[in-house]
Coordinates of all heavy atoms in Angstrom, one line a residue:
M129 N -17.3 53.5 10.9 CA -16.1 52.8 10.7 C -16.5 51.3 10.4 O -17.3 50.7 11.0 CB -15.3 52.8 12.1 CG -13.9 52.2 12.0 SD -13.0 52.1 13.6 CE -13.3 53.6 14.4
T130 N -15.8 50.7 9.4 CA -16.1 49.3 9.1 C -15.6 48.4 10.2 O -14.7 48.8 10.9 CB -15.5 48.9 7.7 OG1 -14.1 48.8 7.9 CG2 -15.8 49.8 6.6
Q131 N -16.1 47.2 10.2 CA -15.7 46.2 11.2 C -14.2 45.9 11.1 O -13.5 45.8 12.1 CB -16.5 45.0 11.2 CG -17.9 45.1 11.8 CD -18.6 43.8 11.9 OE1 -18.4 42.9 11.0 NE2 -19.4 43.7 12.9
L132 N -13.7 45.8 9.9 CA -12.3 45.5 9.7 C -11.4 46.6 10.1 O -10.4 46.4 10.8 CB -12.0 45.2 8.2 CG -12.5 43.8 7.7 CD1 -12.2 43.7 6.2 CD2 -11.9 42.7 8.5
A133 N -11.9 47.8 9.8 CA -11.1 49.0 10.3 C -11.1 49.1 11.8 O -10.1 49.4 12.4 CB -11.7 50.3 9.7
E134 N -12.2 48.7 12.4 CA -12.3 48.7 13.8 C -11.4 47.7 14.5 O -10.7 48.0 15.5 CB -13.8 48.4 14.2 CG -14.2 49.0 15.5 CD -15.7 48.8 15.7 OE1 -16.4 49.0 14.7 OE2 -16.1 48.5 16.8
L135 N -11.3 46.5 13.9 CA -10.4 45.5 14.4 C -9.0 45.9 14.2 O -8.1 45.7 15.1 CB -10.6 44.1 13.6 CG -11.9 43.4 13.9 CD1 -12.1 42.2 12.9 CD2 -11.8 42.8 15.3
F136 N -8.7 46.5 13.1 CA -7.3 47.0 12.9 C -7.0 48.1 13.9 O -5.9 48.0 14.5 CB -7.2 47.6 11.5 CG -5.8 48.0 11.0 CD1 -4.7 47.3 11.5 CD2 -5.6 49.0 10.1 CE1 -3.4 47.7 11.1 CE2 -4.4 49.3 9.7 CZ -3.3 48.7 10.2
K137 N -7.9 49.0 14.2 CA -7.7 50.0 15.2 C -7.4 49.4 16.6 O -6.5 49.8 17.3 CB -8.8 51.0 15.3 CG -8.6 52.1 16.3 CD -9.7 53.1 16.2 CE -9.6 54.3 17.2 NZ -8.7 54.1 18.3
C138 N -8.2 48.3 16.9 CA -8.0 47.6 18.2 C -6.6 47.0 18.3 O -5.9 47.1 19.3 CB -9.0 46.5 18.4 SG -10.6 47.0 18.8
A139 N -6.2 46.4 17.2 CA -4.8 45.8 17.2 C -3.7 46.9 17.3 O -2.8 46.7 18.1 CB -4.6 45.0 15.9
L140 N -3.9 48.0 16.7 CA -3.0 49.1 16.8 C -2.9 49.6 18.2 O -1.8 49.9 18.7 CB -3.3 50.2 15.8 CG -3.2 49.9 14.3 CD1 -3.9 51.0 13.5 CD2 -1.7 49.8 13.9
D141 N -4.1 49.8 18.8 CA -4.2 50.4 20.1 C -3.5 49.4 21.2 O -2.9 49.8 22.1 CB -5.6 50.6 20.5 CG -6.2 51.8 19.8 OD1 -5.4 52.6 19.1 OD2 -7.4 52.0 19.8
M142 N -3.7 48.1 20.9 CA -3.1 47.1 21.9 C -1.6 47.0 21.7 O -0.9 46.9 22.7 CB -3.7 45.7 21.6 CG -5.0 45.5 22.4 SD -5.4 43.7 22.4 CE -5.6 43.4 20.7
C143 N -1.1 47.0 20.4 CA 0.3 46.7 20.2 C 1.2 48.0 20.1 O 2.4 47.9 20.4 CB 0.4 46.0 18.8 SG -0.4 44.4 18.8
L144 N 0.6 49.1 19.8 CA 1.3 50.3 19.6 C 2.6 50.1 18.8 O 3.7 50.3 19.3 CB 1.7 51.0 21.0 CG 0.5 51.4 21.8 CD1 0.9 51.9 23.2 CD2 -0.4 52.5 21.1
P145 N 2.5 49.5 17.7 CA 3.7 49.1 16.9 C 4.4 50.2 16.3 O 3.8 51.2 15.8 CB 3.1 48.2 15.8 CG 1.7 48.8 15.5 CD 1.3 49.3 16.9
D146 N 5.7 50.1 16.3 CA 6.5 51.2 15.6 C 6.5 51.0 14.1 O 6.7 51.9 13.3 CB 7.9 51.3 16.1 CG 8.7 50.1 16.0 OD1 8.2 49.0 15.5 OD2 9.9 50.1 16.4
S147 N 6.2 49.8 13.7 CA 6.0 49.5 12.3 C 4.9 48.4 12.1 O 4.7 47.6 13.0 CB 7.3 49.1 11.6 OG 7.7 47.9 12.0
V148 N 4.2 48.5 11.0 CA 3.2 47.6 10.7 C 3.2 47.2 9.2 O 3.5 48.0 8.4 CB 1.8 48.2 11.1 CG1 1.4 49.4 10.3 CG2 0.6 47.1 10.9
V149 N 2.9 45.9 9.0 CA 2.7 45.4 7.6 C 1.3 45.1 7.4 O 0.7 44.4 8.2 CB 3.6 44.2 7.3 CG1 3.3 43.6 5.9 CG2 5.1 44.5 7.5
V150 N 0.7 45.6 6.3 CA -0.7 45.3 6.0 C -0.8 44.5 4.7 O -0.5 45.1 3.6 CB -1.5 46.6 5.9 CG1 -3.0 46.3 5.7 CG2 -1.4 47.5 7.1
L151 N -1.1 43.2 4.8 CA -1.2 42.4 3.6 C -2.6 42.5 3.0 O -3.5 42.5 3.8 CB -0.9 40.9 4.0 CG 0.5 40.7 4.6 CD1 0.6 39.2 5.0 CD2 1.6 41.1 3.7
G152 N -2.7 42.7 1.7 CA -4.0 42.9 1.1 C -4.5 44.3 1.6 O -5.6 44.4 2.0
V153 N -3.7 45.3 1.4 CA -4.0 46.6 2.0 C -5.2 47.3 1.2 O -5.9 48.1 1.8 CB -2.8 47.6 1.9 CG1 -2.4 47.9 0.5 CG2 -3.0 48.8 2.7
A154 N -5.5 46.8 0.0 CA -6.7 47.3 -0.8 C -6.6 48.8 -0.8 O -5.5 49.4 -1.1 CB -8.0 46.8 -0.2
G155 N -7.6 49.5 -0.5 CA -7.6 51.0 -0.6 C -7.1 51.7 0.7 O -7.2 52.9 0.8
G156 N -6.6 50.9 1.6 CA -6.1 51.5 2.8 C -7.0 51.6 4.0 O -6.9 52.5 4.9
N157 N -8.0 50.8 3.9 CA -9.0 50.7 5.0 C -8.4 50.7 6.4 O -7.6 49.7 6.6 CB -10.0 49.5 4.8 CG -11.1 49.5 5.8 OD1 -11.6 50.5 6.3 ND2 -11.7 48.3 6.0
G158 N -8.7 51.6 7.2 CA -8.1 51.6 8.6 C -6.9 52.4 8.8 O -6.5 52.8 9.9
L159 N -6.2 52.7 7.7 CA -4.9 53.5 7.8 C -5.2 54.9 8.4 O -4.4 55.6 9.0 CB -4.2 53.7 6.5 CG -3.6 52.4 5.9 CD1 -2.8 52.7 4.7 CD2 -2.8 51.6 6.9
E160 N -6.5 55.4 8.3 CA -6.8 56.7 8.8 C -6.8 56.7 10.3 O -6.8 57.8 10.9 CB -8.2 57.1 8.3 CG -9.4 56.3 8.7 CD -9.7 55.0 7.9 OE1 -8.8 54.6 7.1 OE2 -10.8 54.5 8.0
H161 N -6.8 55.5 11.0 CA -6.8 55.5 12.4 C -5.4 55.4 13.0 O -5.2 55.3 14.2 CB -7.6 54.3 12.9 CG -9.0 54.3 12.4 ND1 -9.8 55.4 12.7 CD2 -9.7 53.5 11.6 CE1 -11.0 55.2 12.1 NE2 -10.9 54.1 11.5
M162 N -4.4 55.3 12.1 CA -3.0 55.2 12.6 C -2.5 56.4 13.3 O -2.8 57.5 12.9 CB -2.2 55.0 11.3 CG -0.8 54.5 11.4 SD -0.8 52.7 11.6 CE -1.4 52.2 10.1
D163 N -1.8 56.2 14.4 CA -1.2 57.3 15.0 C 0.3 57.4 14.5 O 1.1 56.5 14.8 CB -1.1 57.1 16.6 CG -0.5 58.2 17.3 OD1 0.3 59.0 16.6 OD2 -0.7 58.4 18.5
Y164 N 0.5 58.3 13.6 CA 1.7 58.4 12.8 C 2.9 58.9 13.7 O 4.0 58.8 13.2 CB 1.5 59.3 11.6 CG 0.6 58.6 10.6 CD1 -0.7 58.7 10.6 CD2 1.2 57.8 9.6 CE1 -1.6 58.1 9.7 CE2 0.4 57.1 8.7 CZ -1.0 57.3 8.7 OH -1.8 56.6 7.8
L165 N 2.6 59.2 14.9 CA 3.7 59.5 15.8 C 4.2 58.2 16.5 O 5.4 58.1 16.8 CB 3.3 60.5 16.9 CG 2.9 61.9 16.4 CD1 2.4 62.8 17.6 CD2 4.1 62.6 15.8
V166 N 3.3 57.3 16.6 CA 3.7 56.0 17.2 C 4.2 55.0 16.1 O 5.2 54.4 16.2 CB 2.4 55.3 17.9 CG1 2.7 53.9 18.3 CG2 2.0 56.2 19.1
T167 N 3.4 54.9 15.0 CA 3.7 54.0 13.9 C 4.4 54.8 12.8 O 3.7 55.5 12.1 CB 2.5 53.2 13.5 OG1 1.8 52.7 14.6 CG2 2.8 52.1 12.5
T168 N 5.7 54.6 12.7 CA 6.4 55.5 11.8 C 6.7 54.8 10.5 O 7.3 55.4 9.5 CB 7.7 56.0 12.4 OG1 8.4 54.9 12.9 CG2 7.4 56.9 13.6
R169 N 6.5 53.5 10.4 CA 6.7 52.7 9.1 C 5.4 51.9 8.9 O 5.0 51.1 9.7 CB 7.9 51.8 9.3 CG 8.1 50.9 8.1 CD 9.4 50.1 8.3 NE 9.6 49.0 7.4 CZ 9.4 47.8 7.7 NH1 9.1 47.4 8.9 NH2 9.5 46.8 6.7
I170 N 4.8 52.2 7.7 CA 3.6 51.4 7.3 C 3.9 50.8 6.0 O 4.2 51.5 5.0 CB 2.4 52.4 7.2 CG1 2.1 53.1 8.6 CG2 1.1 51.7 6.8 CD1 2.5 54.5 8.6
V171 N 3.8 49.5 5.9 CA 4.1 48.8 4.7 C 2.8 48.2 4.2 O 2.1 47.4 4.9 CB 5.1 47.6 4.9 CG1 5.4 46.9 3.6 CG2 6.4 48.2 5.6
G172 N 2.4 48.6 3.0 CA 1.2 48.0 2.4 C 1.5 47.1 1.2 O 2.4 47.5 0.4
V173 N 0.9 46.0 1.2 CA 1.2 45.0 0.1 C -0.1 44.6 -0.6 O -1.1 44.3 0.1 CB 1.9 43.7 0.6 CG1 2.2 42.8 -0.5 CG2 3.1 44.1 1.4
D174 N -0.1 44.7 -1.9 CA -1.3 44.2 -2.6 C -0.9 43.8 -4.0 O 0.0 44.3 -4.6 CB -2.4 45.3 -2.7 CG -3.8 44.7 -2.8 OD1 -4.2 44.2 -3.9 OD2 -4.5 44.8 -1.8
I175 N -1.7 42.9 -4.6 CA -1.5 42.4 -5.9 C -2.0 43.4 -6.9 O -1.5 43.4 -8.1 CB -2.2 41.0 -6.1 CG1 -1.7 40.3 -7.4 CG2 -3.7 41.2 -6.1 CD1 -2.2 38.9 -7.5
N176 N -2.9 44.3 -6.5 CA -3.6 45.2 -7.4 C -3.0 46.6 -7.4 O -3.2 47.3 -6.4 CB -5.1 45.2 -7.0 CG -5.9 46.0 -8.0 OD1 -5.5 46.9 -8.6 ND2 -7.2 45.6 -8.2
V177 N -2.3 47.0 -8.4 CA -1.6 48.3 -8.4 C -2.6 49.4 -8.3 O -2.3 50.5 -7.8 CB -0.7 48.4 -9.7 CG1 -1.5 48.6 -11.0 CG2 0.3 49.5 -9.5
R178 N -3.8 49.3 -8.8 CA -4.8 50.4 -8.7 C -5.2 50.7 -7.3 O -5.4 51.8 -6.9 CB -6.1 50.0 -9.5 CG -5.8 50.0 -11.0 CD -6.9 50.3 -11.8 NE -6.5 50.2 -13.2 CZ -7.2 49.9 -14.2 NH1 -8.5 49.7 -14.0 NH2 -6.7 50.0 -15.4
Y179 N -5.3 49.6 -6.5 CA -5.5 49.8 -5.0 C -4.4 50.6 -4.4 O -4.6 51.5 -3.6 CB -5.7 48.5 -4.3 CG -7.0 47.8 -4.5 CD1 -7.1 46.4 -4.6 CD2 -8.2 48.6 -4.5 CE1 -8.4 45.8 -4.7 CE2 -9.4 48.0 -4.7 CZ -9.5 46.6 -4.7 OH -10.7 46.0 -4.9
L180 N -3.2 50.2 -4.8 CA -2.0 50.8 -4.2 C -1.9 52.3 -4.6 O -1.5 53.2 -3.8 CB -0.7 50.1 -4.6 CG -0.6 48.7 -4.1 CD1 0.7 48.0 -4.6 CD2 -0.6 48.7 -2.6
E181 N -2.4 52.6 -5.8 CA -2.4 54.0 -6.3 C -3.4 54.8 -5.4 O -3.2 56.0 -5.1 CB -2.9 54.1 -7.8 CG -1.7 53.7 -8.7 CD -2.2 53.4 -10.1 OE1 -3.4 53.6 -10.4 OE2 -1.3 53.0 -10.9
K182 N -4.5 54.2 -5.1 CA -5.5 54.8 -4.2 C -4.9 55.1 -2.8 O -5.1 56.2 -2.2 CB -6.8 53.9 -4.0 CG -7.6 53.7 -5.2 CD -8.7 54.8 -5.2 CE -9.7 54.5 -6.3 NZ -10.0 55.8 -7.1
V183 N -4.2 54.1 -2.3 CA -3.5 54.3 -1.0 C -2.5 55.4 -1.1 O -2.5 56.3 -0.2 CB -2.8 53.0 -0.5 CG1 -2.1 53.2 0.8 CG2 -3.8 51.9 -0.4
E184 N -1.8 55.5 -2.2 CA -0.8 56.5 -2.4 C -1.5 57.9 -2.4 O -1.0 58.9 -1.8 CB 0.0 56.3 -3.7 CG 1.0 57.3 -4.1 CD 2.2 57.4 -3.2 OE1 2.6 56.4 -2.6 OE2 2.7 58.5 -3.0
Q185 N -2.6 58.0 -3.1 CA -3.4 59.2 -3.2 C -3.9 59.7 -1.8 O -3.8 60.8 -1.4 CB -4.6 59.1 -4.1 CG -4.3 59.2 -5.6 CD -5.5 58.7 -6.4 OE1 -6.6 58.6 -5.9 NE2 -5.3 58.4 -7.7
R186 N -4.4 58.7 -1.0 CA -5.0 59.0 0.3 C -3.9 59.3 1.4 O -4.1 60.2 2.2 CB -5.9 57.9 0.8 CG -7.2 57.7 0.0 CD -8.0 56.5 0.5 NE -8.5 56.8 1.9 CZ -9.0 55.8 2.6 NH1 -9.1 54.6 2.2 NH2 -9.5 56.1 3.8
F187 N -2.9 58.5 1.3 CA -1.9 58.5 2.5 C -0.5 58.8 2.1 O 0.4 58.7 3.0 CB -2.0 57.2 3.3 CG -3.4 56.9 3.8 CD1 -4.2 55.9 3.1 CD2 -3.9 57.5 4.9 CE1 -5.5 55.6 3.5 CE2 -5.2 57.2 5.3 CZ -6.0 56.3 4.6
G188 N -0.3 59.1 0.8 CA 1.1 59.2 0.4 C 1.9 60.3 1.0 O 3.2 60.2 1.0
K189 N 1.2 61.3 1.5 CA 2.0 62.4 2.1 C 2.5 62.0 3.5 O 3.3 62.8 4.1 CB 1.1 63.6 2.2 CG 0.8 64.2 0.9 CD 0.1 65.6 1.0 CE 0.1 66.4 -0.3 NZ -0.5 65.6 -1.4
R190 N 2.0 60.9 4.1 CA 2.5 60.6 5.4 C 3.9 59.9 5.2 O 4.1 59.1 4.3 CB 1.6 59.5 6.1 CG 0.2 59.7 5.8 CD -0.5 60.5 6.9 NE -1.8 60.9 6.6 CZ -2.9 60.7 7.4 NH1 -2.7 60.2 8.6 NH2 -4.1 61.0 7.0
V191 N 4.8 60.3 6.1 CA 6.1 59.7 6.0 C 6.1 58.3 6.5 O 5.2 57.9 7.2 CB 7.1 60.5 6.9 CG1 7.5 61.8 6.3 CG2 6.6 60.6 8.3
G192 N 7.0 57.5 5.9 CA 7.1 56.1 6.4 C 6.2 55.1 5.7 O 6.1 54.0 6.1
L193 N 5.5 55.6 4.6 CA 4.6 54.7 3.9 C 5.4 54.0 2.8 O 6.0 54.6 1.9 CB 3.4 55.5 3.3 CG 2.4 54.6 2.5 CD1 1.6 53.7 3.4 CD2 1.4 55.6 1.8
E194 N 5.4 52.6 2.8 CA 6.0 51.8 1.8 C 5.0 51.0 1.1 O 4.2 50.3 1.8 CB 7.0 50.8 2.4 CG 8.3 51.3 2.8 CD 9.0 50.1 3.5 OE1 8.9 49.0 3.1 OE2 9.7 50.4 4.6
L195 N 4.9 51.0 -0.2 CA 3.9 50.2 -0.9 C 4.6 49.2 -1.8 O 5.5 49.6 -2.6 CB 2.9 51.1 -1.7 CG 2.1 52.1 -0.8 CD1 1.3 53.0 -1.6 CD2 1.2 51.3 0.2
H196 N 4.1 48.0 -1.8 CA 4.7 46.9 -2.7 C 3.6 46.2 -3.4 O 2.6 45.7 -2.9 CB 5.4 45.9 -1.8 CG 6.5 46.4 -1.0 ND1 7.8 46.5 -1.5 CD2 6.5 46.9 0.3 CE1 8.6 47.0 -0.5 NE2 7.8 47.3 0.5
C197 N 3.7 46.2 -4.8 CA 2.8 45.5 -5.6 C 3.4 44.1 -5.7 O 4.4 43.9 -6.4 CB 2.6 46.2 -7.0 SG 1.3 45.4 -8.0
H198 N 2.7 43.1 -5.1 CA 3.3 41.8 -5.1 C 2.2 40.7 -4.9 O 1.2 40.9 -4.2 CB 4.2 41.7 -3.8 CG 5.0 40.4 -3.8 ND1 6.2 40.3 -4.5 CD2 4.8 39.3 -3.1 CE1 6.6 39.1 -4.3 NE2 5.8 38.4 -3.4
D199 N 2.4 39.6 -5.6 CA 1.5 38.5 -5.5 C 2.0 37.5 -4.4 O 3.0 36.8 -4.6 CB 1.4 37.7 -6.9 CG 0.4 36.6 -6.8 OD1 -0.1 36.2 -5.7 OD2 0.1 36.0 -7.9
L200 N 1.3 37.6 -3.3 CA 1.8 36.8 -2.1 C 1.6 35.3 -2.3 O 2.3 34.5 -1.7 CB 1.0 37.2 -0.9 CG 1.3 38.6 -0.4 CD1 0.2 39.1 0.5 CD2 2.7 38.7 0.3
A201 N 0.8 34.9 -3.3 CA 0.6 33.5 -3.6 C 1.7 33.0 -4.5 O 2.0 31.8 -4.6 CB -0.7 33.2 -4.2
E202 N 2.4 33.9 -5.1 CA 3.4 33.5 -6.1 C 4.8 33.3 -5.5 O 5.5 32.4 -5.8 CB 3.5 34.7 -7.2 CG 4.3 34.4 -8.4 CD 3.8 33.2 -9.2 OE1 2.5 33.0 -9.3 OE2 4.6 32.5 -9.8
S203 N 5.2 34.3 -4.6 CA 6.5 34.2 -3.9 C 6.5 35.0 -2.7 O 5.7 35.9 -2.5 CB 7.5 34.7 -4.9 OG 7.3 36.1 -5.2
P204 N 7.4 34.6 -1.7 CA 7.4 35.4 -0.5 C 8.0 36.8 -0.8 O 8.7 37.0 -1.8 CB 8.4 34.6 0.4 CG 9.0 33.6 -0.5 CD 8.3 33.5 -1.8
L205 N 7.6 37.7 0.1 CA 8.1 39.1 0.0 C 9.1 39.3 1.1 O 8.8 39.1 2.3 CB 6.9 40.1 0.1 CG 7.2 41.5 -0.1 CD1 7.9 41.8 -1.5 CD2 6.0 42.3 0.1
R206 N 10.3 39.7 0.8 CA 11.3 40.0 1.8 C 11.2 41.4 2.3 O 11.3 42.4 1.5 CB 12.7 39.8 1.2 CG 13.1 38.4 1.0 CD 14.5 38.3 0.4 NE 14.7 36.9 0.0 CZ 15.1 35.9 0.8 NH1 15.4 36.2 2.1 NH2 15.3 34.7 0.4
L207 N 10.9 41.5 3.6 CA 10.6 42.8 4.2 C 11.4 42.9 5.5 O 11.5 41.8 6.2 CB 9.2 43.1 4.5 CG 8.2 43.2 3.3 CD1 6.8 43.1 3.8 CD2 8.4 44.4 2.6
A208 N 11.7 44.0 6.0 CA 12.2 44.2 7.3 C 11.1 43.8 8.3 O 9.9 44.0 8.0 CB 12.7 45.6 7.6
P209 N 11.5 43.1 9.4 CA 10.4 42.6 10.3 C 9.6 43.8 10.9 O 10.1 44.9 11.0 CB 11.2 41.9 11.4 CG 12.6 41.8 11.0 CD 12.8 42.8 9.9
A210 N 8.3 43.4 11.3 CA 7.5 44.4 11.9 C 6.8 43.7 13.1 O 6.4 42.5 13.0 CB 6.5 45.0 10.9
P211 N 6.5 44.4 14.2 CA 5.8 43.7 15.3 C 4.4 43.4 15.1 O 3.8 42.6 15.8 CB 6.0 44.8 16.4 CG 6.3 46.1 15.8 CD 6.9 45.8 14.5
L212 N 3.8 44.0 14.1 CA 2.4 43.8 13.8 C 2.2 43.5 12.3 O 2.6 44.4 11.5 CB 1.5 44.9 14.2 CG 0.0 44.8 14.0 CD1 -0.6 43.6 14.8 CD2 -0.8 46.0 14.3
V213 N 1.6 42.4 11.9 CA 1.2 42.1 10.6 C -0.3 42.0 10.5 O -0.9 41.1 11.2 CB 1.9 40.8 10.0 CG1 1.4 40.6 8.6 CG2 3.4 41.0 10.0
H214 N -1.0 42.8 9.8 CA -2.4 42.8 9.6 C -2.8 42.2 8.3 O -2.3 42.7 7.3 CB -3.0 44.2 9.8 CG -4.4 44.3 9.7 ND1 -5.3 43.9 10.7 CD2 -5.3 44.9 8.8 CE1 -6.5 44.1 10.4 NE2 -6.5 44.7 9.2
A215 N -3.6 41.1 8.3 CA -3.9 40.4 7.1 C -5.4 40.1 7.1 O -5.8 39.0 7.5 CB -3.1 39.1 6.9
A216 N -6.2 41.1 6.8 CA -7.7 40.9 6.9 C -8.3 40.5 5.6 O -8.2 41.3 4.6 CB -8.3 42.2 7.4
L217 N -8.9 39.3 5.6 CA -9.6 38.8 4.4 C -8.6 38.7 3.2 O -9.0 39.0 2.0 CB -10.7 39.8 4.0 CG -11.9 39.8 4.9 CD1 -13.0 40.7 4.4 CD2 -12.5 38.4 5.2
V218 N -7.4 38.3 3.4 CA -6.5 38.1 2.3 C -6.0 36.7 2.3 O -5.7 36.2 1.2 CB -5.4 39.2 2.2 CG1 -4.4 39.1 3.4 CG2 -4.6 39.1 0.9
L219 N -5.8 36.1 3.4 CA -5.2 34.7 3.5 C -6.3 33.7 3.3 O -7.4 33.8 3.7 CB -4.4 34.5 4.8 CG -3.3 35.5 4.9 CD1 -2.6 35.3 6.3 CD2 -2.3 35.4 3.8
Ligands
LIG551 C1 -11.0 41.7 0.8 S1 -9.7 42.7 0.3 C2 -8.9 43.1 1.8 C3 -9.6 44.1 2.7 C4 -8.7 45.0 3.5 N1 -7.6 44.2 4.2 C5 -9.6 45.7 4.6 O1 -9.2 45.6 5.8 O2 -10.6 46.3 4.2 C6 -8.5 41.5 -0.3 C7 -7.2 42.3 -0.8 O3 -6.2 41.3 -1.0 C8 -5.6 41.5 -2.2 N2 -5.1 40.2 -2.7 C9 -5.8 39.1 -3.1 N3 -4.9 38.1 -3.5 C10 -3.7 38.6 -3.3 C11 -2.4 38.1 -3.5 N4 -2.2 36.8 -3.9 N5 -1.3 38.8 -3.2 C12 -1.5 40.1 -2.7 N6 -2.7 40.7 -2.5 C13 -3.8 39.9 -2.8 C14 -6.7 42.1 -3.1 O4 -6.3 42.8 -4.2 C15 -7.5 42.9 -2.2 O5 -7.1 44.2 -2.1

């Protein structure tokens, strides 16, 4: 497990969020550790559509996955609130 995925898992285990936003989701590092019975809404945001396609390929069958191709430096993204926002190496 990569260190970032490990940190993400720690945050998930501590917060047990019903929804989570992952800024700079890249290829979905750490999403494999999600308990999909606990976290039923997963929002991934990235500027790179190819990364989002990878996430879709890997995790698209899970219910509750929302992917947004968006430049966070350009404009804010309006999303329903989530108790956990994970932003590893993106800000
Ligand atoms: C170092 S990677 C993130 C690693 C990932 N969070 C992890 O845990 O492995 C940075 C990601 O942020 C995305 N990114 C960079 N600038 C961005 C921006 N302005 N808006 C949205 N995503 C951005 C990149 O495309 C890349 O997928």
Side-chain angles (χ1 to χ4, degrees):
M129 192 188 313
T130 68
Q131 282 187 329
L132 286 178
E134 206 169 324
L135 285 171
F136 188 29
K137 183 175 179 343
C138 284
L140 291 167
D141 290 346
M142 271 195 302
C143 299
L144 298 174
D146 59 358
S147 65
V148 61
V149 173
V150 184
L151 302 178
V153 68
N157 186 25
L159 294 187
E160 66 275 18
H161 303 302
M162 194 80 67
D163 182 340
Y164 289 87
L165 295 177
V166 173
T167 308
T168 54
R169 174 175 168 255
I170 300 106
V171 182
V173 181
D174 207 286
I175 195 173
N176 187 328
V177 74
R178 294 206 177 152
Y179 282 144
L180 295 176
E181 285 166 1
K182 291 267 183 227
V183 177
E184 177 68 31
Q185 280 168 17
R186 288 179 71 194
F187 301 103
K189 289 193 168 53
R190 322 267 172 132
V191 285
L193 181 67
E194 282 174 39
L195 297 173
H196 299 270
C197 187
H198 187 82
D199 182 353
L200 292 161
E202 189 65 31
S203 60
L205 182 60
R206 287 178 188 276
L207 294 170
L212 179 65
V213 177
H214 182 67
L217 293 185
V218 66
L219 299 178

